[in-house]
Amino acid sequence: MPLEYFLFGLITFLLTGVECEETEVFVEAGSQAVLSCKGIPSSRVIPEIIWTKTNKGTVWRKDRSGLQYWGSSWTSKGFRRVQCPHSRFERNDFSLQINNVRGEDGGEYSCRVMHGDLIIERLIMLRVIKVSLSSPMPLWGSDASISCDVTPWPQGASLQWTLNDRTFDPQSGSDSDTDQRVVREKATVRLTGIWTCVVGFRGIEGRASAALTVNGIIHPSTDGTKLYAAVGSSVSLPCVFSSGLTPSDPVWEKLKPGFIFKPSPGRLPASFSPSSSSSQPLSDKSASLTEVEVGDKGRYRCSGTLDGQQLNRNMELVVAKIISSPPSKTSVTLTCDLTDSSEVTDYEWVQLISDLNGSQSVQSVQKGISLSINTMSEENQGNGPACSTGNTAFWEILSGNKSPGSSQNTAVVVGLGFLLLVLLLILAQMYKNHQRRKRIFQFPALETIVHINSNEREERERNQEKK
């Protein structure tokens, strides 16, 4: 008896020609899903197509007469979220398109294509992936969570998180599937970017993404940022909040050294100046030091209150200067000295050259922390050398071989020497002219004496002849 039932079922199956396949489709929520279903290319019979969803009934149907029907749950106010493009029917492509996919659309779908007595059935499992954020713009230091939801969840699937296309390893990870789907972290700049959940199942990969921006102090982005400035120059102390945020009670403090975990505020430098430009955004609470001194080195803290929560950022000012060794007759040695060189990778000495238009160009001189300069060389005249560190933004330390006072004295001495030289030249020329005039006046006097003597002699001779 069981053998007869088996033979009857086999004969029925062969007569009806039922063909059944099942595929997996991953789609991100909000996008369009395409559930593939193709008929028999050689068939000339107008087929009947029925799309259904398990436990939800008919989704879309087309009779042989050409009439179409939509399920009531797929239409709303005349708008239909599902369709089967007629332009593909000639190619026996009866794929179903679902627009603006939702989480509840996930599940098993069936496509039945009936070519007369031949029935082809396709089974498609639609899995909708969505990345959810506890807040798309959490406040710095608050609790933030990013979750990956797949409807329905595939048992045995793998899950991986990426942030800005780089693998992200949660600090509070777990081996369980449920915990891996959720990332819980304190909101810092580390979490800013595009979060992507990558799900792998049976050789198929699905993914969904969401953007997260952490609100707070965005510049400097991290605590302990080092700022570099030369003695005598000005420096900006940045403290910029996220765009659109207006912190209340902004405060700047200089922290006393020696207190790492609970720093104590000290006195701000005399040249400290909070920014107060009318064109400056309300989110910018930066400050500046107009003239840096060596004693201005150390840690500074900027703070402000947002939604009852105080945010702060610490930064360190590194002061640089050039130390000159006692000069010899022909050379002097300059050393680039920093109050904190822990993050300096290399030093480079450059020459600052000014042209007639007042613009400056930089010419590399040598590498190293010290530089020996030949004071007798004309190449070292003009602007002094500048020291720059390889891992920081370029900053200048102008250094001359002489102090400004000695430079002024030298100019005075050179000027007086030039005037003296001019006076000597004038006196020499006057002396030459005097001597020339003396030589010219001597010859007329001699000529007069000779002429007088000759006249007297002739007069005596005439007087003798008369006698």
Side-chain angles (χ1 to χ4, degrees):
M1 196 69 177
L3 180 60
E4 293 179 359
Y5 287 142
F6 173 75
L7 293 175
F8 177 77
L10 179 61
I11 292 172
T12 303
F13 175 79
L14 292 174
L15 288 176
T16 56
V18 175
E19 183 180 341
C20 182
E21 295 180 0
E22 184 174 7
T23 57
E24 295 273 346
V25 176
F26 287 89
V27 178
E28 183 176 5
S31 63
Q32 184 188 75
V34 178
L35 309 184
S36 178
C37 180
K38 294 185 178 181
I40 301 176
S42 61
S43 175
R44 297 181 180 179
V45 181
I46 299 176
E48 180 179 356
I49 306 104
I50 302 177
W51 275 97
T52 60
K53 183 184 179 185
T54 304
N55 301 326
K56 294 293 183 179
T58 300
V59 177
W60 178 85
R61 188 184 74 189
K62 186 184 81 69
D63 291 341
R64 291 179 181 176
S65 63
L67 294 177
Q68 300 180 67
Y69 304 89
W70 281 267
S72 59
S73 61
W74 297 94
T75 59
S76 176
K77 298 180 181 181
F79 175 75
R80 302 184 179 95
R81 289 198 303 120
V82 295
Q83 61 179 345
C84 257
H86 291 190
S87 59
R88 300 182 180 179
F89 287 178
E90 295 181 357
R91 293 173 291 180
N92 292 287
D93 187 350
F94 311 108
S95 300
L96 182 71
Q97 295 180 357
I98 305 177
N99 299 318
N100 192 21
V101 176
R102 306 167 183 171
E104 58 266 25
D105 296 339
E108 188 178 55
Y109 290 78
S110 171
C111 171
R112 291 174 65 89
V113 180
M114 291 171 281
H115 298 273
D117 294 333
L118 181 62
I119 301 175
I120 298 176
E121 183 174 8
R122 313 280 185 182
L123 297 179
I124 299 98
M125 177 60 73
L126 175 62
R127 303 188 189 275
V128 182
I129 309 177
K130 182 180 181 180
V131 173
S132 303
L133 307 174
S134 58
S135 172
M137 293 185 293
L139 197 61
W140 189 288
S142 63
D143 295 328
S145 64
I146 306 98
S147 60
C148 180
D149 302 314
V150 182
T151 308
W153 175 261
Q155 295 297 326
S158 64
L159 185 147
Q160 184 181 28
W161 284 102
T162 65
L163 176 58
N164 298 324
D165 296 328
R166 294 185 179 182
T167 301
F168 182 88
D169 295 323
Q171 295 178 348
S172 56
S174 175
D175 294 334
S176 66
D177 289 343
T178 303
D179 289 340
Q180 284 183 346
R181 302 179 205 175
V182 182
V183 176
R184 295 182 177 88
E185 300 274 339
K186 288 291 185 181
T188 63
V189 68
R190 178 174 181 259
L191 305 187
T192 298
I194 304 298
W195 285 85
T196 302
C197 169
V198 183
V199 179
F201 183 66
R202 294 180 180 176
I204 300 174
E205 188 178 272
R207 58 181 61 211
S209 301
L212 184 146
T213 302
V214 177
N215 277 336
I217 302 176
I218 58 176
H219 185 53
S221 59
T222 57
D223 267 339
T225 299
K226 284 184 169 57
L227 309 173
Y228 294 81
V231 171
S233 66
S234 62
V235 63
S236 174
L237 303 177
C239 184
V240 182
F241 289 75
S242 301
S243 178
L245 297 183
T246 305
S248 60
D249 304 325
V251 176
W252 272 99
E253 300 168 309
K254 187 176 189 297
L255 306 179
K256 293 181 179 179
F259 297 88
I260 300 177
F261 299 103
K262 292 184 179 181
S264 176
R267 179 180 299 178
L268 289 168
S271 64
F272 176 86
S273 174
S275 300
S276 58
S277 175
S278 58
S279 61
Q280 185 172 294
L282 296 177
S283 58
D284 190 350
K285 302 301 178 183
S286 301
S288 63
L289 298 180
T290 56
E291 188 173 352
V292 176
E293 299 178 1
V294 175
D296 297 339
K297 66 178 181 178
R299 291 182 298 160
Y300 292 79
R301 179 169 62 191
C302 165
S303 60
T305 303
L306 289 170
D307 297 335
Q309 180 178 344
Q310 187 181 52
L311 305 180
N312 58 67
R313 180 73 74 248
N314 296 329
M315 61 202 78
E316 182 176 355
L317 177 62
V318 178
V319 180
K321 64 178 180 179
I322 290 181
I323 300 176
S324 176
S325 65
S328 63
K329 294 182 178 179
T330 59
S331 66
V332 62
T333 300
L334 306 178
T335 302
C336 192
D337 181 65
L338 282 75
T339 56
D340 182 0
S341 59
S342 59
E343 295 185 5
V344 175
T345 57
D346 58 5
Y347 297 84
E348 181 180 15
W349 290 89
V350 296
Q351 184 76 23
L352 304 179
I353 303 174
S354 300
D355 57 17
L356 297 176
N357 297 326
S359 59
Q360 289 185 334
S361 60
V362 178
Q363 180 180 359
S364 179
V365 178
Q366 73 171 41
K367 299 280 188 177
I369 193 171
S370 298
L371 173 68
S372 181
I373 296 179
N374 184 355
T375 57
M376 304 300 293
S377 174
E378 295 183 356
E379 296 179 357
N380 294 322
Q381 296 178 359
N383 287 335
C387 174
S388 66
T389 55
N391 64 331
T392 66
F394 178 78
W395 46 267
E396 300 176 359
I397 307 176
L398 296 180
S399 171
N401 297 333
K402 301 175 183 178
S403 64
S406 62
S407 298
Q408 295 177 0
N409 293 337
T410 302
V412 172
V413 171
V414 171
L416 292 176
F418 178 75
L419 291 176
L420 180 61
L421 179 61
V422 171
L423 290 175
L424 291 175
L425 290 175
I426 293 174
L427 292 175
Q429 187 64 37
M430 292 175 64
Y431 178 75
K432 290 181 179 179
N433 293 338
H434 176 69
Q435 293 295 331
R436 187 182 299 113
R437 286 194 298 270
K438 285 179 63 177
R439 288 195 296 272
I440 292 174
F441 292 154
Q442 287 176 356
F443 293 103
L446 293 173
E447 185 178 356
T448 301
I449 296 172
V450 171
H451 182 68
I452 293 173
N453 293 333
S454 177
N455 289 336
E456 291 179 350
R457 187 172 56 253
E458 289 179 358
E459 183 67 24
R460 286 195 301 269
E461 291 178 353
R462 283 195 300 266
N463 292 332
Q464 290 177 359
E465 289 177 359
K466 288 179 180 182
K467 293 180 178 181

